[in-house]
Amino acid sequence: MNLGYCLEHGIGIAADTEAAIDSYLMAARQGEPGAQYLLSMLFAARGDLAEAYVWARVASQCSESDIAVGAQPQY
């Protein structure tokens, strides 16, 4: 998930939204709530509302604290 965050925000590497989505997808599919939430936000930002809804729904099954902690980069 840290790689996805760096790719999304251009930290140490050129920003690349598609690569960030790929990285978040790998973490989200392994059950990482922060990645699920951030993935829903990226899909919504690019207008893919159906996919955004899917990941927002998955993230909503987690506790709010899991999402808040998981959405922060861990350096």
Side-chain angles (χ1 to χ4, degrees), residues 19-31 35 39 43 51 55:
I21 287 173
D22 290 341
S23 180
Y24 286 145
L25 272 170
M26 287 191 333
R29 288 177 177 146
Q30 293 177 17
L39 195 54
F43 279 127
E51 195 68 20
W55 287 106

Side-chain angles (χ1 to χ4, degrees), residues 21 29 41 49 72:
I21 287 173
R29 288 177 177 146
M41 296 293 102
L49 299 182
Q72 301 300 315

Side-chain angles (χ1 to χ4, degrees), residues 32-69:
E32 177 61 49
Q36 295 163 348
Y37 169 76
L38 292 171
L39 195 54
S40 73
M41 296 293 102
L42 283 179
F43 279 127
R46 74 175 191 180
D48 190 348
L49 299 182
E51 195 68 20
Y53 174 80
V54 168
W55 287 106
R57 179 97 169 123
V58 170
S60 75
Q61 303 303 310
C62 302
S63 75
E64 189 174 321
S65 62
D66 288 339
I67 293 171
V69 170

